[in-house]
Amino acid sequence: MSTPTEVEEKPETTEKEPSGSSIAFTATLVLLVGLALFGRRLFNGWFTDDGIRTWATMFVGVTVQALPFLVLGVLLSAALTAFVPASFFAKALPKHPALAVPVASASGVVLPGCECASVPVSAALMNRGVTPAAAIAFLLSAPAINPVVLASTAVAFPGQPKVVVARAVTSLAVSMILGWLWLLTGKGGSWLKMPKNRHAHDDSKFDVFRSAMLHDFLHAGGFLVVGAAAAATLNVVVPRAWLDHVAGNLLLSVLILGLLAVLLAICSEADAFVAASLSQFSLTARLAFMVVGPIVDVKLIALQTGTFGPKFAVRFAPATFVVAILTSLLVGWWLL
């Protein structure tokens, strides 16, 4: 009887940790919004009026534009986690692993979910018997090419449908390539830790929906604020000549924006607005920013380490980054 008791206590322990970081992110959100609205008065005399005005305008603009898409994406993602059983995906996917990979990748087009939610969903798929290659393909495609993300990209880049097409094609290709690489390299059975369920078995669907919604919104909202602040700061503080020099080098600009996406960890429903604000850079570099962010960033590496094990994360994250950068360069050359 002692073993089941220990197993049941684990979900309760893990629920406490996100709440503390959620409070921190909420405090950050309130602080930065306050700085954006009242920064001119607080820092009058420290910085130029033009600098404060530009920073506040960019920060509020990016945040306000992205927030509706963030809320919609979190609601749909929580509903998917709570009300759609993992067995549905197991039955819908082909039995052959090589065929299951592109089907799982394509399913991301119609199944909304942010990157935070895609990790537990892919873990649930593995627990229900879905081949890890297909679950990984879904893990990468769902947060990158779902309808909310594509719609937000279209709004962020008005009159440029080629950017939406390039993002969808690149992200879909990256998810399939990594799924097939998993199959070709021996399936990684020695370093993949099979995940456990995120929620207790006796949780009601409404409780799962509520906890997933609050967790994802507070975390994603905090990263959105940090990303908007970073983009505004980059445009105000960094010398224009330096940005122009970096932006003029295609390979360097793609690498820098790819690394920036890893560090900022912006939710996929909102990253297009941050990318659009980085107007000094080419469309190919901004494409790399939007492709890398939803599939490999600091919070995803942490989530994947805790869910699938450090041996998985230390191999998967670098491989994902390299494939995403190379594919972005190829598709950008082709479409943009």
mmCIF file with all atom_site columns, all heavy atoms in Angstrom, residues 2 35 46 49 74 125 154 164 202 208 217-218 230 237 241 250 263 274 289 307 327 333-334:
data_model
loop_
_atom_site.group_PDB
_atom_site.id
_atom_site.type_symbol
_atom_site.label_atom_id
_atom_site.label_alt_id
_atom_site.label_comp_id
_atom_site.label_asym_id
_atom_site.label_entity_id
_atom_site.label_seq_id
_atom_site.pdbx_PDB_ins_code
_atom_site.Cartn_x
_atom_site.Cartn_y
_atom_site.Cartn_z
_atom_site.occupancy
_atom_site.B_iso_or_equiv
_atom_site.pdbx_formal_charge
_atom_site.auth_seq_id
_atom_site.auth_comp_id
_atom_site.auth_asym_id
_atom_site.auth_atom_id
_atom_site.pdbx_PDB_model_num
ATOM 1   N N   . SER A 1 2   ? 2.112  1.166  0.462   1.00 0.00 ? 2   SER A N   1
ATOM 2   C CA  . SER A 1 2   ? 2.962  2.355  0.557   1.00 0.00 ? 2   SER A CA  1
ATOM 3   C C   . SER A 1 2   ? 3.361  2.888  -0.814  1.00 0.00 ? 2   SER A C   1
ATOM 4   O O   . SER A 1 2   ? 3.511  4.077  -1.004  1.00 0.00 ? 2   SER A O   1
ATOM 5   C CB  . SER A 1 2   ? 4.225  2.046  1.376   1.00 0.00 ? 2   SER A CB  1
ATOM 6   O OG  . SER A 1 2   ? 4.951  1.007  0.756   1.00 0.00 ? 2   SER A OG  1
ATOM 7   N N   . LEU A 1 35  ? 6.136  50.055 -15.794 1.00 0.00 ? 35  LEU A N   1
ATOM 8   C CA  . LEU A 1 35  ? 7.257  50.811 -16.350 1.00 0.00 ? 35  LEU A CA  1
ATOM 9   C C   . LEU A 1 35  ? 6.912  51.371 -17.721 1.00 0.00 ? 35  LEU A C   1
ATOM 10  O O   . LEU A 1 35  ? 7.292  52.494 -18.063 1.00 0.00 ? 35  LEU A O   1
ATOM 11  C CB  . LEU A 1 35  ? 8.496  49.913 -16.446 1.00 0.00 ? 35  LEU A CB  1
ATOM 12  C CG  . LEU A 1 35  ? 9.174  49.542 -15.119 1.00 0.00 ? 35  LEU A CG  1
ATOM 13  C CD1 . LEU A 1 35  ? 10.320 48.575 -15.380 1.00 0.00 ? 35  LEU A CD1 1
ATOM 14  C CD2 . LEU A 1 35  ? 9.687  50.779 -14.401 1.00 0.00 ? 35  LEU A CD2 1
ATOM 15  N N   . TRP A 1 46  ? 16.770 60.696 -16.395 1.00 0.00 ? 46  TRP A N   1
ATOM 16  C CA  . TRP A 1 46  ? 17.758 59.626 -16.496 1.00 0.00 ? 46  TRP A CA  1
ATOM 17  C C   . TRP A 1 46  ? 18.016 59.273 -17.961 1.00 0.00 ? 46  TRP A C   1
ATOM 18  O O   . TRP A 1 46  ? 19.140 59.030 -18.359 1.00 0.00 ? 46  TRP A O   1
ATOM 19  C CB  . TRP A 1 46  ? 17.284 58.381 -15.741 1.00 0.00 ? 46  TRP A CB  1
ATOM 20  C CG  . TRP A 1 46  ? 17.229 58.553 -14.250 1.00 0.00 ? 46  TRP A CG  1
ATOM 21  C CD1 . TRP A 1 46  ? 17.163 59.731 -13.553 1.00 0.00 ? 46  TRP A CD1 1
ATOM 22  C CD2 . TRP A 1 46  ? 17.248 57.516 -13.279 1.00 0.00 ? 46  TRP A CD2 1
ATOM 23  N NE1 . TRP A 1 46  ? 17.122 59.498 -12.210 1.00 0.00 ? 46  TRP A NE1 1
ATOM 24  C CE2 . TRP A 1 46  ? 17.170 58.132 -12.004 1.00 0.00 ? 46  TRP A CE2 1
ATOM 25  C CE3 . TRP A 1 46  ? 17.301 56.127 -13.343 1.00 0.00 ? 46  TRP A CE3 1
ATOM 26  C CZ2 . TRP A 1 46  ? 17.160 57.424 -10.825 1.00 0.00 ? 46  TRP A CZ2 1
ATOM 27  C CZ3 . TRP A 1 46  ? 17.286 55.409 -12.173 1.00 0.00 ? 46  TRP A CZ3 1
ATOM 28  C CH2 . TRP A 1 46  ? 17.228 56.046 -10.924 1.00 0.00 ? 46  TRP A CH2 1
ATOM 29  N N   . ASP A 1 49  ? 13.675 61.706 -23.411 1.00 0.00 ? 49  ASP A N   1
ATOM 30  C CA  . ASP A 1 49  ? 12.241 61.505 -23.601 1.00 0.00 ? 49  ASP A CA  1
ATOM 31  C C   . ASP A 1 49  ? 11.957 60.637 -24.818 1.00 0.00 ? 49  ASP A C   1
ATOM 32  O O   . ASP A 1 49  ? 11.066 59.789 -24.801 1.00 0.00 ? 49  ASP A O   1
ATOM 33  C CB  . ASP A 1 49  ? 11.536 62.858 -23.758 1.00 0.00 ? 49  ASP A CB  1
ATOM 34  C CG  . ASP A 1 49  ? 11.219 63.484 -22.412 1.00 0.00 ? 49  ASP A CG  1
ATOM 35  O OD1 . ASP A 1 49  ? 11.376 62.786 -21.393 1.00 0.00 ? 49  ASP A OD1 1
ATOM 36  O OD2 . ASP A 1 49  ? 10.817 64.664 -22.384 1.00 0.00 ? 49  ASP A OD2 1
ATOM 37  N N   . VAL A 1 74  ? -3.844 29.561 -25.310 1.00 0.00 ? 74  VAL A N   1
ATOM 38  C CA  . VAL A 1 74  ? -3.814 28.876 -24.020 1.00 0.00 ? 74  VAL A CA  1
ATOM 39  C C   . VAL A 1 74  ? -5.134 28.179 -23.734 1.00 0.00 ? 74  VAL A C   1
ATOM 40  O O   . VAL A 1 74  ? -5.173 27.041 -23.251 1.00 0.00 ? 74  VAL A O   1
ATOM 41  C CB  . VAL A 1 74  ? -3.463 29.883 -22.898 1.00 0.00 ? 74  VAL A CB  1
ATOM 42  C CG1 . VAL A 1 74  ? -3.726 29.289 -21.525 1.00 0.00 ? 74  VAL A CG1 1
ATOM 43  C CG2 . VAL A 1 74  ? -1.999 30.297 -23.004 1.00 0.00 ? 74  VAL A CG2 1
ATOM 44  N N   . LEU A 1 125 ? 0.972  10.804 -25.319 1.00 0.00 ? 125 LEU A N   1
ATOM 45  C CA  . LEU A 1 125 ? 0.921  9.972  -26.524 1.00 0.00 ? 125 LEU A CA  1
ATOM 46  C C   . LEU A 1 125 ? 1.846  8.765  -26.387 1.00 0.00 ? 125 LEU A C   1
ATOM 47  O O   . LEU A 1 125 ? 1.484  7.639  -26.745 1.00 0.00 ? 125 LEU A O   1
ATOM 48  C CB  . LEU A 1 125 ? 1.313  10.797 -27.750 1.00 0.00 ? 125 LEU A CB  1
ATOM 49  C CG  . LEU A 1 125 ? 0.360  11.911 -28.178 1.00 0.00 ? 125 LEU A CG  1
ATOM 50  C CD1 . LEU A 1 125 ? 0.944  12.674 -29.363 1.00 0.00 ? 125 LEU A CD1 1
ATOM 51  C CD2 . LEU A 1 125 ? -1.005 11.355 -28.536 1.00 0.00 ? 125 LEU A CD2 1
ATOM 52  N N   . ALA A 1 154 ? 0.017  36.098 -39.624 1.00 0.00 ? 154 ALA A N   1
ATOM 53  C CA  . ALA A 1 154 ? -0.592 36.894 -40.689 1.00 0.00 ? 154 ALA A CA  1
ATOM 54  C C   . ALA A 1 154 ? -0.909 38.306 -40.215 1.00 0.00 ? 154 ALA A C   1
ATOM 55  O O   . ALA A 1 154 ? -0.748 39.283 -40.960 1.00 0.00 ? 154 ALA A O   1
ATOM 56  C CB  . ALA A 1 154 ? -1.867 36.211 -41.186 1.00 0.00 ? 154 ALA A CB  1
ATOM 57  N N   . VAL A 1 164 ? 3.808  33.693 -43.777 1.00 0.00 ? 164 VAL A N   1
ATOM 58  C CA  . VAL A 1 164 ? 2.990  32.652 -43.150 1.00 0.00 ? 164 VAL A CA  1
ATOM 59  C C   . VAL A 1 164 ? 3.275  31.300 -43.790 1.00 0.00 ? 164 VAL A C   1
ATOM 60  O O   . VAL A 1 164 ? 3.448  30.286 -43.103 1.00 0.00 ? 164 VAL A O   1
ATOM 61  C CB  . VAL A 1 164 ? 1.496  32.996 -43.265 1.00 0.00 ? 164 VAL A CB  1
ATOM 62  C CG1 . VAL A 1 164 ? 0.638  31.936 -42.578 1.00 0.00 ? 164 VAL A CG1 1
ATOM 63  C CG2 . VAL A 1 164 ? 1.208  34.369 -42.669 1.00 0.00 ? 164 VAL A CG2 1
ATOM 64  N N   . ASP A 1 202 ? -7.189 10.869 -10.559 1.00 0.00 ? 202 ASP A N   1
ATOM 65  C CA  . ASP A 1 202 ? -8.517 11.195 -10.091 1.00 0.00 ? 202 ASP A CA  1
ATOM 66  C C   . ASP A 1 202 ? -8.883 12.660 -10.322 1.00 0.00 ? 202 ASP A C   1
ATOM 67  O O   . ASP A 1 202 ? -9.924 13.119 -9.860  1.00 0.00 ? 202 ASP A O   1
ATOM 68  C CB  . ASP A 1 202 ? -8.652 10.858 -8.596  1.00 0.00 ? 202 ASP A CB  1
ATOM 69  C CG  . ASP A 1 202 ? -7.591 11.550 -7.745  1.00 0.00 ? 202 ASP A CG  1
ATOM 70  O OD1 . ASP A 1 202 ? -6.678 12.157 -8.331  1.00 0.00 ? 202 ASP A OD1 1
ATOM 71  O OD2 . ASP A 1 202 ? -7.707 11.482 -6.503  1.00 0.00 ? 202 ASP A OD2 1
ATOM 72  N N   . VAL A 1 208 ? -8.223 19.662 -14.576 1.00 0.00 ? 208 VAL A N   1
ATOM 73  C CA  . VAL A 1 208 ? -7.083 19.603 -15.484 1.00 0.00 ? 208 VAL A CA  1
ATOM 74  C C   . VAL A 1 208 ? -7.086 20.818 -16.410 1.00 0.00 ? 208 VAL A C   1
ATOM 75  O O   . VAL A 1 208 ? -6.046 21.452 -16.647 1.00 0.00 ? 208 VAL A O   1
ATOM 76  C CB  . VAL A 1 208 ? -7.112 18.302 -16.304 1.00 0.00 ? 208 VAL A CB  1
ATOM 77  C CG1 . VAL A 1 208 ? -6.018 18.309 -17.368 1.00 0.00 ? 208 VAL A CG1 1
ATOM 78  C CG2 . VAL A 1 208 ? -6.933 17.096 -15.391 1.00 0.00 ? 208 VAL A CG2 1
ATOM 79  N N   . PHE A 1 217 ? -0.912 30.150 -19.097 1.00 0.00 ? 217 PHE A N   1
ATOM 80  C CA  . PHE A 1 217 ? -1.095 31.578 -19.327 1.00 0.00 ? 217 PHE A CA  1
ATOM 81  C C   . PHE A 1 217 ? -0.085 32.406 -18.527 1.00 0.00 ? 217 PHE A C   1
ATOM 82  O O   . PHE A 1 217 ? 0.530  33.332 -19.053 1.00 0.00 ? 217 PHE A O   1
ATOM 83  C CB  . PHE A 1 217 ? -2.512 32.014 -18.961 1.00 0.00 ? 217 PHE A CB  1
ATOM 84  C CG  . PHE A 1 217 ? -2.712 33.497 -19.082 1.00 0.00 ? 217 PHE A CG  1
ATOM 85  C CD1 . PHE A 1 217 ? -2.811 34.095 -20.324 1.00 0.00 ? 217 PHE A CD1 1
ATOM 86  C CD2 . PHE A 1 217 ? -2.781 34.299 -17.953 1.00 0.00 ? 217 PHE A CD2 1
ATOM 87  C CE1 . PHE A 1 217 ? -2.973 35.470 -20.442 1.00 0.00 ? 217 PHE A CE1 1
ATOM 88  C CE2 . PHE A 1 217 ? -2.943 35.667 -18.065 1.00 0.00 ? 217 PHE A CE2 1
ATOM 89  C CZ  . PHE A 1 217 ? -3.043 36.251 -19.317 1.00 0.00 ? 217 PHE A CZ  1
ATOM 90  N N   . LEU A 1 218 ? 0.077  32.077 -17.251 1.00 0.00 ? 218 LEU A N   1
ATOM 91  C CA  . LEU A 1 218 ? 0.987  32.859 -16.418 1.00 0.00 ? 218 LEU A CA  1
ATOM 92  C C   . LEU A 1 218 ? 2.429  32.708 -16.879 1.00 0.00 ? 218 LEU A C   1
ATOM 93  O O   . LEU A 1 218 ? 3.189  33.676 -16.933 1.00 0.00 ? 218 LEU A O   1
ATOM 94  C CB  . LEU A 1 218 ? 0.841  32.459 -14.949 1.00 0.00 ? 218 LEU A CB  1
ATOM 95  C CG  . LEU A 1 218 ? -0.494 32.854 -14.295 1.00 0.00 ? 218 LEU A CG  1
ATOM 96  C CD1 . LEU A 1 218 ? -0.578 32.299 -12.882 1.00 0.00 ? 218 LEU A CD1 1
ATOM 97  C CD2 . LEU A 1 218 ? -0.649 34.365 -14.273 1.00 0.00 ? 218 LEU A CD2 1
ATOM 98  N N   . ALA A 1 230 ? 12.590 42.939 -24.259 1.00 0.00 ? 230 ALA A N   1
ATOM 99  C CA  . ALA A 1 230 ? 13.890 42.744 -24.894 1.00 0.00 ? 230 ALA A CA  1
ATOM 100 C C   . ALA A 1 230 ? 13.909 43.331 -26.305 1.00 0.00 ? 230 ALA A C   1
ATOM 101 O O   . ALA A 1 230 ? 14.886 43.958 -26.725 1.00 0.00 ? 230 ALA A O   1
ATOM 102 C CB  . ALA A 1 230 ? 14.233 41.253 -24.935 1.00 0.00 ? 230 ALA A CB  1
ATOM 103 N N   . VAL A 1 237 ? 18.369 50.716 -27.302 1.00 0.00 ? 237 VAL A N   1
ATOM 104 C CA  . VAL A 1 237 ? 19.680 50.814 -26.661 1.00 0.00 ? 237 VAL A CA  1
ATOM 105 C C   . VAL A 1 237 ? 20.815 50.463 -27.613 1.00 0.00 ? 237 VAL A C   1
ATOM 106 O O   . VAL A 1 237 ? 21.840 51.154 -27.661 1.00 0.00 ? 237 VAL A O   1
ATOM 107 C CB  . VAL A 1 237 ? 19.729 49.907 -25.415 1.00 0.00 ? 237 VAL A CB  1
ATOM 108 C CG1 . VAL A 1 237 ? 21.124 49.892 -24.809 1.00 0.00 ? 237 VAL A CG1 1
ATOM 109 C CG2 . VAL A 1 237 ? 18.707 50.378 -24.386 1.00 0.00 ? 237 VAL A CG2 1
ATOM 110 N N   . ALA A 1 241 ? 23.947 51.362 -36.008 1.00 0.00 ? 241 ALA A N   1
ATOM 111 C CA  . ALA A 1 241 ? 25.011 50.929 -36.915 1.00 0.00 ? 241 ALA A CA  1
ATOM 112 C C   . ALA A 1 241 ? 25.390 49.471 -36.659 1.00 0.00 ? 241 ALA A C   1
ATOM 113 O O   . ALA A 1 241 ? 25.658 48.712 -37.599 1.00 0.00 ? 241 ALA A O   1
ATOM 114 C CB  . ALA A 1 241 ? 26.230 51.832 -36.752 1.00 0.00 ? 241 ALA A CB  1
ATOM 115 N N   . LEU A 1 250 ? 23.780 37.670 -43.635 1.00 0.00 ? 250 LEU A N   1
ATOM 116 C CA  . LEU A 1 250 ? 22.649 36.735 -43.553 1.00 0.00 ? 250 LEU A CA  1
ATOM 117 C C   . LEU A 1 250 ? 22.896 35.628 -42.545 1.00 0.00 ? 250 LEU A C   1
ATOM 118 O O   . LEU A 1 250 ? 22.068 35.377 -41.662 1.00 0.00 ? 250 LEU A O   1
ATOM 119 C CB  . LEU A 1 250 ? 22.372 36.130 -44.936 1.00 0.00 ? 250 LEU A CB  1
ATOM 120 C CG  . LEU A 1 250 ? 21.222 35.108 -44.984 1.00 0.00 ? 250 LEU A CG  1
ATOM 121 C CD1 . LEU A 1 250 ? 19.915 35.734 -44.553 1.00 0.00 ? 250 LEU A CD1 1
ATOM 122 C CD2 . LEU A 1 250 ? 21.116 34.498 -46.378 1.00 0.00 ? 250 LEU A CD2 1
ATOM 123 N N   . LEU A 1 263 ? 16.849 32.117 -26.014 1.00 0.00 ? 263 LEU A N   1
ATOM 124 C CA  . LEU A 1 263 ? 16.980 32.785 -24.726 1.00 0.00 ? 263 LEU A CA  1
ATOM 125 C C   . LEU A 1 263 ? 15.687 33.469 -24.282 1.00 0.00 ? 263 LEU A C   1
ATOM 126 O O   . LEU A 1 263 ? 15.333 33.441 -23.099 1.00 0.00 ? 263 LEU A O   1
ATOM 127 C CB  . LEU A 1 263 ? 18.114 33.809 -24.781 1.00 0.00 ? 263 LEU A CB  1
ATOM 128 C CG  . LEU A 1 263 ? 19.513 33.240 -25.016 1.00 0.00 ? 263 LEU A CG  1
ATOM 129 C CD1 . LEU A 1 263 ? 20.528 34.359 -25.172 1.00 0.00 ? 263 LEU A CD1 1
ATOM 130 C CD2 . LEU A 1 263 ? 19.918 32.312 -23.871 1.00 0.00 ? 263 LEU A CD2 1
ATOM 131 N N   . VAL A 1 274 ? 6.916  40.000 -31.981 1.00 0.00 ? 274 VAL A N   1
ATOM 132 C CA  . VAL A 1 274 ? 8.279  40.385 -31.630 1.00 0.00 ? 274 VAL A CA  1
ATOM 133 C C   . VAL A 1 274 ? 9.169  40.339 -32.869 1.00 0.00 ? 274 VAL A C   1
ATOM 134 O O   . VAL A 1 274 ? 9.980  41.239 -33.100 1.00 0.00 ? 274 VAL A O   1
ATOM 135 C CB  . VAL A 1 274 ? 8.833  39.474 -30.518 1.00 0.00 ? 274 VAL A CB  1
ATOM 136 C CG1 . VAL A 1 274 ? 10.287 39.810 -30.207 1.00 0.00 ? 274 VAL A CG1 1
ATOM 137 C CG2 . VAL A 1 274 ? 7.984  39.593 -29.261 1.00 0.00 ? 274 VAL A CG2 1
ATOM 138 N N   . PHE A 1 289 ? 13.910 33.084 -36.316 1.00 0.00 ? 289 PHE A N   1
ATOM 139 C CA  . PHE A 1 289 ? 13.450 33.420 -34.961 1.00 0.00 ? 289 PHE A CA  1
ATOM 140 C C   . PHE A 1 289 ? 12.120 32.746 -34.661 1.00 0.00 ? 289 PHE A C   1
ATOM 141 O O   . PHE A 1 289 ? 11.920 32.172 -33.573 1.00 0.00 ? 289 PHE A O   1
ATOM 142 C CB  . PHE A 1 289 ? 13.321 34.946 -34.851 1.00 0.00 ? 289 PHE A CB  1
ATOM 143 C CG  . PHE A 1 289 ? 12.844 35.428 -33.518 1.00 0.00 ? 289 PHE A CG  1
ATOM 144 C CD1 . PHE A 1 289 ? 13.742 35.663 -32.490 1.00 0.00 ? 289 PHE A CD1 1
ATOM 145 C CD2 . PHE A 1 289 ? 11.495 35.668 -33.284 1.00 0.00 ? 289 PHE A CD2 1
ATOM 146 C CE1 . PHE A 1 289 ? 13.311 36.121 -31.246 1.00 0.00 ? 289 PHE A CE1 1
ATOM 147 C CE2 . PHE A 1 289 ? 11.056 36.123 -32.056 1.00 0.00 ? 289 PHE A CE2 1
ATOM 148 C CZ  . PHE A 1 289 ? 11.962 36.353 -31.036 1.00 0.00 ? 289 PHE A CZ  1
ATOM 149 N N   . THR A 1 307 ? 10.764 15.864 -18.266 1.00 0.00 ? 307 THR A N   1
ATOM 150 C CA  . THR A 1 307 ? 9.787  14.895 -18.768 1.00 0.00 ? 307 THR A CA  1
ATOM 151 C C   . THR A 1 307 ? 10.450 13.675 -19.379 1.00 0.00 ? 307 THR A C   1
ATOM 152 O O   . THR A 1 307 ? 10.052 12.532 -19.102 1.00 0.00 ? 307 THR A O   1
ATOM 153 C CB  . THR A 1 307 ? 8.874  15.555 -19.810 1.00 0.00 ? 307 THR A CB  1
ATOM 154 O OG1 . THR A 1 307 ? 8.259  16.720 -19.252 1.00 0.00 ? 307 THR A OG1 1
ATOM 155 C CG2 . THR A 1 307 ? 7.779  14.587 -20.262 1.00 0.00 ? 307 THR A CG2 1
ATOM 156 N N   . THR A 1 327 ? 17.142 24.596 -42.127 1.00 0.00 ? 327 THR A N   1
ATOM 157 C CA  . THR A 1 327 ? 15.888 24.580 -42.880 1.00 0.00 ? 327 THR A CA  1
ATOM 158 C C   . THR A 1 327 ? 15.360 25.991 -43.096 1.00 0.00 ? 327 THR A C   1
ATOM 159 O O   . THR A 1 327 ? 14.812 26.301 -44.161 1.00 0.00 ? 327 THR A O   1
ATOM 160 C CB  . THR A 1 327 ? 14.840 23.729 -42.148 1.00 0.00 ? 327 THR A CB  1
ATOM 161 O OG1 . THR A 1 327 ? 15.389 22.456 -41.827 1.00 0.00 ? 327 THR A OG1 1
ATOM 162 C CG2 . THR A 1 327 ? 13.602 23.516 -43.010 1.00 0.00 ? 327 THR A CG2 1
ATOM 163 N N   . TRP A 1 333 ? 15.648 31.215 -48.547 1.00 0.00 ? 333 TRP A N   1
ATOM 164 C CA  . TRP A 1 333 ? 16.230 31.422 -49.881 1.00 0.00 ? 333 TRP A CA  1
ATOM 165 C C   . TRP A 1 333 ? 15.210 31.094 -50.967 1.00 0.00 ? 333 TRP A C   1
ATOM 166 O O   . TRP A 1 333 ? 15.139 31.749 -52.019 1.00 0.00 ? 333 TRP A O   1
ATOM 167 C CB  . TRP A 1 333 ? 17.469 30.553 -50.025 1.00 0.00 ? 333 TRP A CB  1
ATOM 168 C CG  . TRP A 1 333 ? 17.994 30.471 -51.432 1.00 0.00 ? 333 TRP A CG  1
ATOM 169 C CD1 . TRP A 1 333 ? 18.753 31.399 -52.092 1.00 0.00 ? 333 TRP A CD1 1
ATOM 170 C CD2 . TRP A 1 333 ? 17.767 29.401 -52.362 1.00 0.00 ? 333 TRP A CD2 1
ATOM 171 N NE1 . TRP A 1 333 ? 19.028 30.974 -53.369 1.00 0.00 ? 333 TRP A NE1 1
ATOM 172 C CE2 . TRP A 1 333 ? 18.435 29.750 -53.575 1.00 0.00 ? 333 TRP A CE2 1
ATOM 173 C CE3 . TRP A 1 333 ? 17.090 28.197 -52.299 1.00 0.00 ? 333 TRP A CE3 1
ATOM 174 C CZ2 . TRP A 1 333 ? 18.412 28.927 -54.691 1.00 0.00 ? 333 TRP A CZ2 1
ATOM 175 C CZ3 . TRP A 1 333 ? 17.053 27.369 -53.406 1.00 0.00 ? 333 TRP A CZ3 1
ATOM 176 C CH2 . TRP A 1 333 ? 17.726 27.744 -54.594 1.00 0.00 ? 333 TRP A CH2 1
ATOM 177 N N   . TRP A 1 334 ? 14.371 30.088 -50.702 1.00 0.00 ? 334 TRP A N   1
ATOM 178 C CA  . TRP A 1 334 ? 13.409 29.616 -51.708 1.00 0.00 ? 334 TRP A CA  1
ATOM 179 C C   . TRP A 1 334 ? 12.169 30.513 -51.780 1.00 0.00 ? 334 TRP A C   1
ATOM 180 O O   . TRP A 1 334 ? 11.744 30.904 -52.892 1.00 0.00 ? 334 TRP A O   1
ATOM 181 C CB  . TRP A 1 334 ? 13.004 28.182 -51.353 1.00 0.00 ? 334 TRP A CB  1
ATOM 182 C CG  . TRP A 1 334 ? 11.920 27.613 -52.221 1.00 0.00 ? 334 TRP A CG  1
ATOM 183 C CD1 . TRP A 1 334 ? 11.776 27.753 -53.575 1.00 0.00 ? 334 TRP A CD1 1
ATOM 184 C CD2 . TRP A 1 334 ? 10.810 26.818 -51.784 1.00 0.00 ? 334 TRP A CD2 1
ATOM 185 N NE1 . TRP A 1 334 ? 10.638 27.093 -54.001 1.00 0.00 ? 334 TRP A NE1 1
ATOM 186 C CE2 . TRP A 1 334 ? 10.039 26.506 -52.917 1.00 0.00 ? 334 TRP A CE2 1
ATOM 187 C CE3 . TRP A 1 334 ? 10.415 26.325 -50.543 1.00 0.00 ? 334 TRP A CE3 1
ATOM 188 C CZ2 . TRP A 1 334 ? 8.879  25.733 -52.840 1.00 0.00 ? 334 TRP A CZ2 1
ATOM 189 C CZ3 . TRP A 1 334 ? 9.266  25.549 -50.467 1.00 0.00 ? 334 TRP A CZ3 1
ATOM 190 C CH2 . TRP A 1 334 ? 8.520  25.258 -51.608 1.00 0.00 ? 334 TRP A CH2 1
#
